[in-house]
Amino acid sequence: MEKNNLNHGIIILLEFYPTWLALTREKRRELAEDLYSIIEKYSENVKVKFFDADAFGDGTYTDFIFCETSDLKMYHFMWEEIRDTYAYSNGYFKIKKVIMGLQNAYQKFEEESLEMGPEHR
């Protein structure tokens, strides 16, 4: 992490609807390619991992995405483009909840604001 640049961890809970599952797997892959191309476009600034959660969640979400970034602007721009995709704008899935945190933020505060030395890890 660079000085003044905190790493953000963001969990996005998604719900894919039965209309998505009703599509053929080939059609789902085609629509997913639009999403993957956007994610690839931002991959230098936003790291994205996908997780299937249907069989493990509490029923309020079907999948989740974990993103890491130190550039919230690029993260936001990525989601603006995702929201414009056919799959999102035609209601195949929606964002249910976003959970966000800062990696080692208290340590950055201690080092930069309180001028304490690095904590042993």
Side-chain angles (χ1 to χ4, degrees), residues 40-96:
E40 178 62 30
K41 176 179 173 182
Y42 290 92
S43 65
E44 186 176 313
N45 296 297
V46 183
K47 305 302 177 219
V48 178
K49 295 180 183 178
F50 295 91
F51 296 86
D52 188 3
D54 297 81
F56 308 106
D58 63 4
T60 60
Y61 58 95
T62 60
D63 300 78
F64 66 91
I65 297 172
F66 180 73
C67 295
E68 276 188 271
T69 188
S70 58
D71 190 336
L72 286 178
K73 181 173 93 172
M74 290 295 104
Y75 167 81
H76 177 74
F77 286 4
M78 180 184 77
W79 278 100
E80 284 295 325
E81 288 196 42
I82 289 172
R83 291 175 355 124
D84 290 340
T85 64
Y86 184 88
Y88 190 90
S89 64
N90 281 277
Y92 287 115
F93 71 98
K94 81 180 234 183
I95 296 170
K96 298 290 285 186

Side-chain angles (χ1 to χ4, degrees), residues 30-42:
E30 178 186 322
L31 294 175
E33 276 305 312
D34 290 341
L35 301 170
Y36 292 135
S37 67
I38 293 166
I39 289 164
E40 178 62 30
K41 176 179 173 182
Y42 290 92

